[in-house]
């Protein structure tokens, strides 16, 4: 019997408070000028262009390769998804695929949209979907999505508008991965020019085409006038790379950029008091955490040390003093916005217990020296949070060396298992349990920091359960196991703050993407 599966997600509102903290460090300059000019009345003479300030360059313009929000948020304007999400609820909605069904435990069928063209005029069809899934699965492509799609056995083209995905094991979460991972490149073009060229000069079906990409400076796109959903209102789109927050803020206040996210809480009033500016906030589906690296030899491989770190980090103090309450505290691996969330025990703040556990593990706190790595400007107050954690650990006598990385370097070190004892990272968008737990707590996942053989067995077993109640119970058990194992130090569900030009029609999404097709000027 065929089973039609629908996924619904409960989105919880986060109560966020506005206040002030110490000033945000960092300086920088930007010399590029937007085509818009800010007049004396503070209103922008905007034509048909939009400039979005980003903290980092995309690592590639190749689809289906880099598991990295910074990259994905940009290239989703070039490529389309087979399945989309509702921007407010996260519910699955049609994209290049118009309908889908679960035939049996190992078979999924997707009906595709007709009449869609790639930027080079080629037809979109089922062969294109097969090519892009096969691209992920082909080991020689080195896709960081490959571990997420390992259970896909075969993709069959049934007709130009129908594709069937066969899995080697039950894969009830497949549609979630289709929505979050899969973007469609033009097969003929990629085969002709190769991955290296396609990574610099992409061809998709999306609302925008590449015009210019200058590394560490900008990505410029132009509207696809023949886009299947209609011509975009924004004709020229630019992502401008400004690593330092203070430089992004200056660029926004001077009218050089029109939109950026991750505003530190100490800058809210400055933006609110600026002409033609506004702030929007949304409860993100992203979580922030302190990873404890057990994948390389070191003190974090001892559970007593990991538990000690949990007891020594005062999450409530960090959340209140550094973020002014802009976030929702977590005690386990999932946030309350996640459909698989279950309440877990809170270690709480107990420095005496932390010292006791370190001594049990054979460490005098004063003799223990740890490295804590963090990006700066990627997550709200990230380097400040790292310094706060270091200060708290130093209160019990542990020496902590904070190392600030450029964002691309930070990710590369994590992926290549060259990171230190601890690191700050975020994960999302994530709406259900598997997307977070499998990708952060299994041995082969590129951003994992923790592995336990028995827990991994439980994770993979839970992945295969179709029955919703039994699946929930299985992931509930895993969440408690991860907390008991002190797999990491959970921090908070991120609250996203955006600086927006007042006359820009823009609504923040829970998945944090910037879909310029949905934007326009008033």
């Amino acid at each position: 019997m065929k089973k039609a599966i629908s996924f619904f997600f409960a989105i919880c509102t986060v109560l966020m408070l506005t206040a002030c903290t110490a000033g945000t460090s960092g300086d920088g300059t930007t010399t590029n000028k937007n085509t818009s000019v800010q007049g004396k009345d503070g209103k922008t003479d905007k034509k048909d262009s939009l400039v979005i300030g980003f903290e980092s360059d995309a690592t590639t313009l190749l689809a289906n390769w880099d598991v990295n929000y910074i990259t994905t948020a940009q290239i989703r304007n070039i490529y389309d998804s087979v399945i989309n999400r509702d921007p407010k609820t996260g519910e699955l909605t049609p994209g290049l695929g118009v309908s889908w069904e679960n035939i049996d435990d190992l078979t999924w069928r997707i009906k595709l949209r007709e009449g869609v063209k790639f930027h080079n005029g080629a037809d979109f069809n089922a062969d294109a979907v097969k090519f892009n899934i096969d691209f992920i699965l082909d080991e020689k492509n080195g896709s960081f999505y490959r571990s997420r799609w390992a259970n896909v056995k075969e993709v069959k083209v049934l007709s130009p508008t129908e594709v069937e995905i066969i899995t080697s094991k039950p894969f009830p979460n497949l549609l979630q991965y289709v929505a979050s991972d899969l973007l469609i490149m033009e097969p003929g073009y990629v085969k002709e020019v190769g991955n290296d060229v396609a990574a610099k000069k992409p061809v998709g079906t999306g609302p925008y085409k590449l015009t210019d990409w200058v590394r560490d400076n900008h990505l410029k796109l132009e509207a696809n006038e023949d886009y299947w959903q209609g011509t975009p209102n924004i004709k020229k789109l630019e992502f401008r790379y400004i690593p330092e927050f203070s430089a992004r803020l200056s660029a926004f206040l001077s009218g050089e950029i029109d939109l950026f996210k991750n505003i530190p809480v100490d800058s809210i009033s400055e933006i609110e008091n600026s002409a033609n500016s506004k702030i929007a906030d949304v409860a993100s589906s992203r979580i922030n955490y302190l990873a404890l690296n057990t994948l390389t030899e070191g003190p974090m491989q001892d559970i007593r040390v990991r538990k000690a770190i949990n007891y020594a980090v005062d999450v409530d103090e960090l959340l209140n003093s550094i973020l002014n309450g802009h976030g929702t505290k977590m005690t386990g691996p999932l946030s309350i916005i996640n459909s698989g969330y279950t309440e877990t025990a809170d270690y709480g703040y107990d420095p005496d217990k932390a010292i006791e556990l370190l001594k049990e593990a054979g460490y005098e706190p004063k003799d223990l020296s740890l490295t804590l790595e963090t990006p700066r400007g990627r997550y709200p107050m990230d380097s400040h949070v790292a310094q706060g954690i270091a200060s708290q650990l130093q209160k019990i006598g542990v020496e902590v060396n904070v190392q600030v990385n450029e964002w691309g370097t930070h990710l590369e070190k994590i992926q290549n298992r060259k990171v230190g004892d601890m690191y700050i990272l975020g994960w999302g968008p994530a709406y259900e349990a598997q997307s977070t737990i499998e990708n952060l707590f299994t041995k082969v996942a590129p951003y994992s920091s923790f592995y336990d053989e028995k827990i991994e067995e439980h994770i993979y077993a839970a992945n295969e359960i179709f029955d919703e109640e039994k699946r929930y119970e299985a992931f509930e058990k895993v969440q408690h196991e991860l907390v008991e194992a002190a797999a990491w130090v959970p921090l908070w569900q991120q609250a996203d703050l955006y600086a927006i030009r007042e006359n820009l029609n823009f609504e923040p999404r829970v998945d944090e993407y910037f879909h310029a097709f949905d934007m326009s000027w008033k």
Side-chain angles (χ1 to χ4, degrees):
M1 180 177 65
K2 296 183 180 180
K3 295 179 286 184
I5 302 248
S6 298
F7 295 85
F8 296 92
F9 306 93
I11 301 299
C12 304
T13 301
V14 174
L15 178 62
M16 297 188 291
L17 307 175
T18 300
C20 296
T21 62
T24 303
S25 63
D27 56 16
T29 58
T30 179
T31 57
N32 294 329
K33 297 292 182 182
N34 191 1
T35 55
S36 61
V37 178
Q38 192 171 24
K40 294 180 180 179
D41 61 355
K43 293 186 178 180
T44 302
D45 178 17
K46 177 59 65 175
K47 297 179 182 178
D48 56 3
S49 63
L50 174 68
V51 182
I52 301 175
F54 251 50
E55 54 267 43
S56 179
D57 197 349
T59 57
T60 180
L61 301 184
L62 195 69
N64 310 314
W65 187 81
D66 183 29
V67 184
N68 177 357
Y69 160 79
I70 292 290
T71 296
T72 301
Q74 296 179 70
I75 67 174
R76 277 182 174 267
N77 290 281
I78 299 171
Y79 304 104
D80 280 317
S81 303
V82 174
I83 298 175
N84 291 325
R85 291 190 187 276
D86 182 279
K88 293 184 178 180
T89 68
E91 182 181 342
L92 301 182
T93 60
L96 292 176
V98 295
S99 62
W100 43 85
E101 60 179 329
N102 181 213
I103 306 302
D104 55 46
D105 283 0
L106 302 178
T107 309
W108 299 80
R109 188 173 296 163
I110 302 176
K111 179 75 173 177
L112 303 173
R113 194 175 299 277
E114 298 183 53
V116 176
K117 297 282 187 180
F118 285 98
H119 297 156
N120 62 358
D123 291 324
F124 163 74
N125 53 32
D127 288 322
V129 176
K130 174 177 171 57
F131 169 84
N132 282 274
I133 296 176
D134 289 344
F135 176 92
I136 293 173
L137 297 174
D138 190 339
E139 189 172 2
K140 73 175 185 291
N141 290 323
S143 171
F144 287 105
Y145 287 100
R146 186 167 178 267
S147 65
R148 298 159 61 97
W149 290 72
N151 289 339
V152 172
K153 178 182 178 181
E154 181 184 6
V155 182
K156 292 183 178 180
V157 173
L158 304 182
S159 74
T161 59
E162 201 166 28
V163 66
E164 202 165 74
I165 302 174
I166 312 298
T167 63
S168 57
K169 298 178 180 179
F171 194 175
N173 215 39
L174 176 66
L175 294 183
Q176 306 295 322
Y177 282 34
V178 172
S180 63
D181 298 357
L182 186 63
L183 299 174
I184 303 300
M185 302 181 284
E186 204 276 278
Y189 172 74
V190 177
K191 291 175 184 177
E192 178 184 353
V193 304
N195 290 354
D196 290 344
V197 173
K200 300 172 185 175
K201 299 179 180 180
V203 173
T205 64
Y208 290 90
K209 304 177 183 180
L210 175 71
T211 58
D212 186 40
W213 186 31
V214 177
R215 278 291 193 183
D216 300 317
N217 190 288
H218 65 255
L219 172 68
K220 292 184 178 181
L221 308 175
E222 65 179 2
N224 175 10
E225 300 291 340
D226 299 318
Y227 187 48
W228 58 273
Q229 292 194 72
T231 303
N233 289 303
I234 302 295
K235 304 302 181 185
K236 297 178 181 179
L237 173 63
E238 177 182 348
F239 291 93
R240 187 170 300 170
Y241 309 133
I242 310 174
E244 291 289 350
F245 165 74
S246 60
R248 289 199 299 278
L249 177 61
S250 296
F252 179 80
L253 295 176
S254 67
E256 295 177 26
I257 65 175
D258 306 303
L259 171 65
F260 73 100
K261 72 184 287 284
N262 290 339
I263 304 167
V265 294
D266 56 2
S267 299
I268 291 174
S269 60
E270 188 172 4
I271 294 170
E272 288 180 329
N273 294 330
S274 174
N276 192 29
S277 302
K278 61 183 177 181
I279 285 182
D281 57 55
V282 65
S284 173
S285 57
R286 181 173 300 279
I287 58 176
N288 297 151
Y289 59 94
L290 175 66
L292 306 177
N293 182 17
T294 71
L295 301 182
T296 55
E297 188 174 348
M300 294 305 162
Q301 291 184 329
D302 191 318
I303 187 174
R304 293 167 295 187
V305 175
R306 298 196 304 272
K307 286 188 174 183
I309 300 298
N310 270 272
Y311 282 120
V313 174
D314 189 343
V315 175
D316 290 311
E317 180 186 55
L318 296 171
L319 186 57
N320 293 326
S321 66
I322 298 178
L323 292 182
N324 287 347
H326 286 269
T328 302
K329 181 181 175 180
M330 295 167 50
T331 61
L334 302 180
S335 75
I336 59 173
I337 207 171
N338 194 295
S339 63
Y341 168 81
T342 190
E343 188 173 348
T344 52
D346 183 5
Y347 275 85
Y349 180 57
D350 190 340
D352 293 333
K353 182 68 173 177
I355 293 171
E356 177 185 334
L357 284 166
L358 288 177
K359 289 182 176 180
E360 285 182 14
Y363 295 99
E364 287 294 332
K366 64 181 178 61
D367 297 329
L368 187 60
S369 180
L370 302 174
T371 299
L372 197 173
E373 302 199 36
T374 180
R376 180 165 59 196
R378 171 61 187 90
Y379 308 110
M381 309 296 285
D382 45 16
S383 62
H384 293 68
V385 170
Q387 293 290 350
I389 291 172
S391 178
Q392 290 177 346
L393 292 176
Q394 287 163 356
K395 286 180 180 178
I396 66 167
V398 176
E399 180 184 354
V400 178
N401 301 306
V402 175
Q403 180 173 328
V404 179
N405 300 321
E406 182 274 328
W407 174 239
T409 301
H410 194 65
L411 289 186
E412 184 178 354
K413 292 178 74 173
I414 295 169
Q415 292 168 343
N416 294 325
R417 309 296 197 240
K418 294 182 179 179
V419 75
D421 302 293
M422 306 176 288
Y423 57 87
I424 297 289
L425 198 65
W427 180 258
Y431 299 93
E432 40 66 48
Q434 182 179 344
S435 293
T436 297
I437 291 175
E438 179 183 9
N439 287 288
L440 296 180
F441 301 107
T442 57
K443 194 171 186 178
V444 299
Y447 295 113
S448 178
S449 63
F450 174 86
Y451 161 72
D452 177 275
E453 183 177 4
K454 182 60 66 174
I455 295 177
E456 183 173 91
E457 289 178 5
H458 295 165
I459 292 171
Y460 286 137
N463 288 350
E464 298 180 16
I465 300 173
F466 268 86
D467 182 274
E468 291 185 15
E469 184 174 345
K470 292 180 179 179
R471 181 180 176 86
Y472 178 86
E473 291 172 352
F475 275 113
E476 181 179 40
K477 177 182 178 181
V478 169
Q479 289 172 69
H480 289 295
E481 289 176 330
L482 290 169
V483 171
E484 177 59 31
W488 63 4
V489 179
L491 297 176
W492 41 73
Q493 175 190 339
Q494 184 171 305
D496 285 339
L497 294 169
Y498 293 78
I500 308 168
R501 198 63 60 213
E502 190 174 41
N503 54 339
L504 177 65
N505 291 313
F506 167 73
E507 290 290 334
R509 301 170 56 102
V510 293
D511 59 17
E512 306 176 48
Y513 294 142
F514 291 88
H515 287 186
F517 180 77
D518 297 328
M519 303 181 207
S520 62
W521 291 102
K522 297 178 183 177

